[in-house]
Amino acid sequence: MAKTPTPLGKEFTKGLWAQNPILKQVLGMCPTLAVTNSAVNAFAMGLATSFVLLMSSTLVGLVRKMVPSQVRIAVYVVIIAGFVTIADYFLRAQFPDISRALGPFVPLIVVNCVILGRQEAFTSRNPVGRSIVDAAGMGVGFTLALIVMGSVRELLGNGSVFGVTLLPQVFERWTIMLLPPGAFLALGVLIGTSNLIAARRQRRAPAAQ
Amino acid sequence: MQYLLLFISTVLVNNFVLSYFLGICPFIGVSDRISSAIGLGLATTFVMTMTAAVSWFINHKILIAFNVPFLQYVSFILVIASLVQLVEMFVRKTSPPLYRALGIFLPLITTNCAILGLALLSALRDYGFLQSVVFGIGAGVGFTMALVIMAGIREQLELADVPVNLRGAGITLITASLLALSFMGFQGLIKG
């Protein structure tokens, strides 16, 4: 079955950096931009998305052989929408403040291309165990990128990270970082920086690969 | 008057792409040529208007009437997927030239979060039927406008000397940031 058996550890870590859904694949932009005005919101969004990704990958992995390929996308979408409903109702009941802050972006996880993309590109042609590891890696990578975005924007825009004030009052708050233009700018610079780091690494170790 | 206000606020002040961050994927992906931006924008506007109308009926006449609001997400996404399919078949039969122009963009629309966002937002804000439709048209026009402006800028950007690591998504996002900044200028237009 497995033609090129990649070690399971690598299946996990590729989601963190080499194929990071936000920085490298540029998928799932909408929540990345919209909910990262504070680190807490970013973290909650990352967790919710990871949960949906993990559960959908598991279920899709289990039923993939039973689903005719013509209707697979519709089946995937319904599965994802089901888990999103669970996540949304859970957030609403347990963390009403966060749920209110995230607004319509929790239900919008349904159309987050990271999730459908993983089902189509990975889960539909790999065994369940491997898919779960892949989904976990992608989920963690997505969450980490979101937290970095949220922390940078919160630090510059509000002088704090996770609600803890770090910068002294002398520092003029860049309110613009909390508004839409700041989101686009932060993500653009973040992607540019990650490209720069990747290019540096490749130059330093050209013989290794 | 109320509808005109809603329309203008949806197009300019609360632009779907630039202030709600909905539909970013096509905004980044399909905005490199003006002609394809117009094609995608028109197809999206059409689907948005239809979705606004149909999802209003589903939400009010079925989901709320039978008290099953937890089916909202599942039913909305199914409505959108089948609507896109229907529109595609209809356009193919009735107007082959239009189909050839829009053809490749139609399937992409299903995964455009702006459409689902539209259905969810108008349900959340409890819009009436006409309000929903106006909201849908406004969202579509706003989306098209942002896409076309972006495509125009990117065509010029190809001639510019962009740092290697920022090429592609990086510079597009930074451009979008400036565009969003200028759209913030419309904010005083409505609330006064």
Side-chain angles (χ1 to χ4, degrees):
Chain A
M1 195 52 206
K3 287 145 276 168
T4 46
T6 343
L8 276 182
K10 205 151 196 184
E11 212 71 87
F12 178 77
T13 48
K14 74 169 193 274
L16 301 186
W17 177 256
Q19 290 188 34
N20 186 295
I22 293 176
L23 301 175
K24 289 283 144 39
Q25 303 183 42
V26 199
L27 290 175
M29 290 293 101
C30 309
T32 314
L33 293 163
V35 302
T36 50
N37 48 10
S38 79
V40 175
N41 287 352
F43 184 52
M45 187 66 190
L47 280 192
T49 310
S50 304
F51 164 78
V52 175
L53 181 57
L54 201 58
M55 297 309 282
S56 329
S57 276
T58 312
L59 192 57
V60 168
L62 288 173
V63 301
R64 76 189 164 104
K65 294 229 172 85
M66 290 176 248
V67 177
S69 68
Q70 293 90 335
V71 295
R72 66 179 190 288
I73 301 285
V75 172
Y76 297 166
V77 168
V78 172
I79 289 177
I80 295 170
F83 284 116
V84 169
T85 311
I86 295 174
D88 185 35
Y89 275 60
F90 175 77
L91 274 181
R92 251 191 254 176
Q94 298 295 325
F95 305 99
D97 294 338
I98 292 182
S99 171
R100 215 166 302 127
L102 297 181
F105 283 93
V106 177
L108 280 175
I109 297 177
V110 176
V111 280
N112 188 326
C113 11
V114 175
I115 297 178
L116 192 60
R118 274 346 269 172
Q119 311 311 326
E120 178 68 8
F122 198 91
T123 312
S124 62
R125 51 185 80 136
N126 282 286
V128 186
R130 203 165 272 274
S131 307
I132 294 176
V133 175
D134 171 76
M138 288 294 160
V140 174
F142 185 76
T143 311
L144 283 181
L146 235 58
I147 291 178
V148 171
M149 271 281 285
S151 306
V152 169
R153 285 182 64 192
E154 198 185 332
L155 184 68
L156 293 177
N158 200 25
S160 59
V161 174
F162 280 106
V164 181
T165 310
L166 292 181
L167 295 177
Q169 281 302 324
V170 193
F171 177 78
E172 187 77 42
R173 306 298 192 240
W174 301 4
T175 313
I176 194 78
M177 290 306 288
L178 299 179
L179 299 172
F184 285 114
L185 183 69
L187 186 59
V189 173
L190 197 65
I191 288 180
T193 316
S194 83
N195 284 345
L196 185 72
I197 295 173
R200 281 258 170 87
R201 268 195 190 175
Q202 211 157 35
R203 227 176 296 138
R204 211 171 294 160
Q209 271 201 323
Chain B
M1 189 56 207
Q2 178 209 355
Y3 296 118
L4 187 70
L5 206 64
L6 178 65
F7 180 77
I8 292 178
S9 85
T10 317
V11 173
L12 293 178
V13 184
N14 295 319
N15 187 289
F16 258 48
V17 177
L18 296 170
S19 80
Y20 284 169
F21 306 111
L22 294 169
I24 300 290
C25 297
F27 181 64
I28 305 287
V30 198
S31 63
D32 45 2
R33 286 277 162 278
I34 289 188
S35 53
S36 50
I38 293 177
L40 181 70
L42 288 181
T44 308
T45 308
F46 187 63
V47 176
M48 272 182 165
T49 314
M50 301 277 290
T51 305
V54 175
S55 68
W56 187 87
F57 271 108
I58 300 251
N59 194 27
H60 284 259
K61 301 295 165 198
I62 298 179
L63 295 180
I64 292 181
F66 291 101
N67 197 21
V68 281
F70 54 85
L71 285 179
Q72 206 180 41
Y73 309 153
V74 179
S75 47
F76 279 1
I77 192 76
L78 284 178
V79 164
I80 294 167
S82 35
L83 213 59
V84 170
Q85 199 80 75
L86 266 180
V87 168
E88 192 183 343
M89 289 193 293
F90 179 76
V91 174
R92 183 158 47 183
K93 284 274 182 255
T94 51
S95 166
L98 188 65
Y99 179 73
R100 243 171 282 129
L102 295 183
I104 40 168
F105 301 120
L106 284 170
L108 279 179
I109 295 174
T110 316
T111 52
N112 184 340
C113 47
I115 317 261
L116 185 63
L118 169 92
L120 290 170
L121 278 176
S122 52
L124 200 69
R125 294 177 182 174
D126 232 356
Y127 280 155
F129 179 70
L130 223 86
Q131 270 178 316
S132 292
V133 174
V134 172
F135 187 51
I137 299 173
V141 172
F143 178 77
T144 311
M145 194 172 65
L147 206 63
V148 171
I149 295 177
M150 194 66 195
I153 299 177
R154 282 184 74 178
E155 283 189 358
Q156 297 296 314
L157 211 58
E158 272 177 16
L159 306 171
D161 184 21
V162 179
V164 181
N165 290 311
L166 278 179
R167 268 178 209 161
I171 194 69
T172 311
L173 284 162
I174 292 173
T175 316
S177 159
L178 296 177
L179 201 57
L181 199 61
S182 54
F183 263 69
M184 276 176 71
F186 288 117
Q187 228 146 43
L189 204 64
I190 296 292
K191 276 164 200 149

